[in-house]
Structures are given as C-alpha cells and as structure tokens.
Amino acid sequence: MLIGFTVEGFQDWHPAAITAAMRRLGVNFIEYNIRLFNSLDQVLPQLRAMRTAFHLPIIEEEGWDFSSSERQQQIEASIALLLQHHRALSLTHFIAHPPAAGASSGIPPARLDTLFANLARLPRPLYFENIPELSPEAFRAFLKEAQERLGAKYAGMCFDAAHFQISGLDPVAQFLAFRDQIGAVHLSDCIGREDSHLPFDSGGDLPIRPLLRAMRRSGYRGSITLEIRPDPAGDLASYIRSYTLLLRSFTPARFLSTRLRLLAAERLMINRN
C-alpha cells in the first residue's frame, strides 16, 4: 500500500534532501507538484524504489490549471516534461482538480473542453479531487463526465477529507458515499472553514480516527497522501506521528519497522551528543 507525503521545499530543506530523508524513514510514496520541475536533477537520484504521484497545477496556488487556455504554452511545457520523466519518477498517477473558476455556478463548457483535451495527453491515469466549491452532487456529475471524456485515462476520485470537512460535510459519510470511486486519498487536519493542512492531533476538527476506521473496514488499499505542512518552528514530531498513525492503521508490519528506524535514529543522536 502506498502511504506518503506531499513534498516541496521547506525553509532551508531542498526537495531532494526531504525525499532522501523520507526514503530513509521507509516512506514508499511521495506526491510532487509543479515546483518539482526546478529540482528534477537533484530529486531523481534520491527516489530509488519510491513511487510517486504528481498533483497538477491549480488556480488557487499557481494562478492557472490545465483548463486555462490562455496559459497553453505553460501547459505544453509541463506535459513535455512529464512525458519525458514519468518513468524515471516511477509515476503511478496524476491528481487534478475540477476547474474552480465558476464551479459554484457551473463550469464553462469551453474550460472543460480545454481541460480534458490536455489531460488526455498525460502518460498516467488521473484521479480527480473534490473541491469545496462543488457540492457532492455536482462533483459526482463532474466525475461522470470525466470518465466519459477520458476513458481508460480516468482512474477515479481523490478523496480529500479536509475539503469536505471545511464545507460543513461529514467526511466519514462522504467517504462511504463515494467509496466505489475512490482510489487515492488526501489527509490533513483543519480548523473551521480553513484548509489548514495541519498534522493530526493539532487542535483541528477532522474526525481522523473514525475516518481511518471507516477506510480500513471498507477494505481501502489505494494510496494515501499526507497533505500536511511542517510547523515553521521546525516541529517535525507531529508530522511523523501522523505518518505512523496511518502505518499502524493499514500496514502494521511497516509501522513496527518504522518505529525501529526512529528508535535507531534517536539512539544515534543521543550518542553524538
């Protein structure tokens, strides 16, 4: 089972250094985004047997996505790089959002045409992530259209628990409602209506343990990505605890081996001091 993190640069840590540290911890899966392109040469040697996913650009962060016809030149450059490097990245799938612009009042057909034409050129299957701007009914309709337009390139839904939580919807109920479509999961804690990207047990509202129980009982074995951002003060303990909670829930043997790695690292630090 693929369980890992989103990775980009953090403070003085280069994405390649973060990738190497995660590999040593035993992490088998990383999700990158477009900021990987600036670090490809350094990151690729650090992956070794790790598998990856790639989160395509979204308007809220990059100012454009694959439905932005006015940014077709950037889209072309992104597709070319992904076609060139997807094997070296051991890329398993892509994550995309429905176009957020106009989503609450209906996504313009021209944006959908551009989106699906560009996505169809990618070399791996696509999961579509639920966004707060779309109701569950509207998102289900979008998934149906994506499947019709993309055929075999359509993989299903990327279930983002926090996006349902901040929309005032029960993420456990929504996981069960969409279970037959879900093949990828994004997890992070959140406070109120803010998509906070917090580690678990950081004062957020997400019912993480009931959700993990529902996932486990449903037989879920797809990928799980922790979309959490380390504390700017450098507290990585909660970051690691979130990861080990997932291992304990879904892969007990890997949980034990990771605990041994952590204990060995702690002893090494003590001896050095």
Side-chain angles (χ1 to χ4, degrees):
M1 187 172 181
L2 298 176
I3 300 175
F5 297 86
T6 55
V7 166
E8 52 188 84
F10 174 69
Q11 295 183 352
D12 295 332
W13 284 64
H14 190 276
I18 298 173
T19 299
M22 289 185 174
R23 189 192 70 242
R24 294 186 188 104
L25 184 62
V27 176
N28 67 357
F29 178 65
I30 288 179
E31 185 179 304
Y32 294 107
N33 57 34
I34 196 167
R35 286 175 283 284
L36 168 70
F37 292 158
N38 297 323
S39 310
L40 262 173
D41 290 342
Q42 296 90 352
V43 167
L44 286 175
Q46 300 302 329
L47 284 171
R48 302 187 190 177
M50 299 175 82
R51 309 297 293 277
T52 73
F54 190 92
H55 198 304
L56 295 169
I58 58 175
I59 289 174
E60 295 85 348
E61 293 189 9
E62 311 301 336
W64 59 280
D65 65 12
F66 270 40
S67 74
S68 303
S69 57
E70 70 280 6
R71 298 293 192 96
Q72 191 62 37
Q73 185 173 355
Q74 287 168 281
I75 295 170
E76 294 292 337
S78 300
I79 292 173
L81 281 169
L82 292 166
L83 287 169
Q84 180 182 353
H85 295 290
H86 69 278
R87 290 187 181 88
L89 284 165
S90 296
L91 194 63
T92 61
H93 60 268
F94 293 97
I95 304 291
H97 285 200
S104 58
S105 58
I107 302 169
R111 290 193 78 93
L112 289 177
D113 290 342
T114 301
L115 174 71
F116 292 125
N118 286 320
L119 295 181
R121 298 165 56 198
L122 293 171
R124 291 287 185 263
L126 288 126
Y127 290 99
F128 291 92
E129 184 174 335
N130 56 291
I131 59 175
E133 294 85 351
L134 285 181
S135 68
E137 296 77 19
F139 182 63
R140 193 177 290 278
F142 173 84
L143 291 180
K144 184 173 186 246
E145 182 166 2
Q147 186 170 18
E148 290 171 352
R149 296 258 205 139
L150 293 173
K153 288 285 180 71
Y154 173 83
M157 173 184 179
C158 174
F159 173 85
D160 190 301
H163 286 177
F164 281 123
Q165 179 74 27
I166 66 175
S167 302
L169 297 167
D170 178 4
V172 178
Q174 293 303 318
F175 176 83
L176 296 173
F178 281 97
R179 176 64 186 89
D180 63 333
Q181 290 279 346
I182 298 170
V185 169
H186 282 174
L187 294 177
S188 62
D189 210 344
C190 54
I191 297 174
R193 295 302 176 96
E194 179 186 351
D195 194 8
S196 317
H197 295 282
L198 294 172
F200 305 148
D201 300 323
S202 298
D205 303 319
L206 188 77
I208 183 59
R209 285 167 179 80
L211 176 58
L212 294 180
R213 282 196 296 271
M215 291 170 62
R216 188 173 61 248
R217 289 171 181 170
S218 78
Y220 181 76
R221 301 299 294 174
S223 66
I224 304 177
T225 302
L226 285 164
E227 272 197 322
I228 57 180
R229 293 172 180 149
D231 188 314
D235 174 23
L236 295 179
S238 58
Y239 195 75
I240 293 172
R241 283 196 301 269
S242 299
Y243 173 64
T244 56
L245 177 60
L246 295 183
L247 295 184
R248 186 167 58 191
S249 298
F250 294 98
T251 59
R254 281 172 57 198
F255 168 71
L256 291 174
S257 64
T258 298
R259 289 291 299 155
L260 290 173
R261 283 189 177 96
L262 290 170
L263 287 170
E266 288 173 8
R267 289 195 186 102
L268 181 61
M269 293 300 294
I270 291 170
N271 291 336
R272 283 181 176 177
N273 293 334

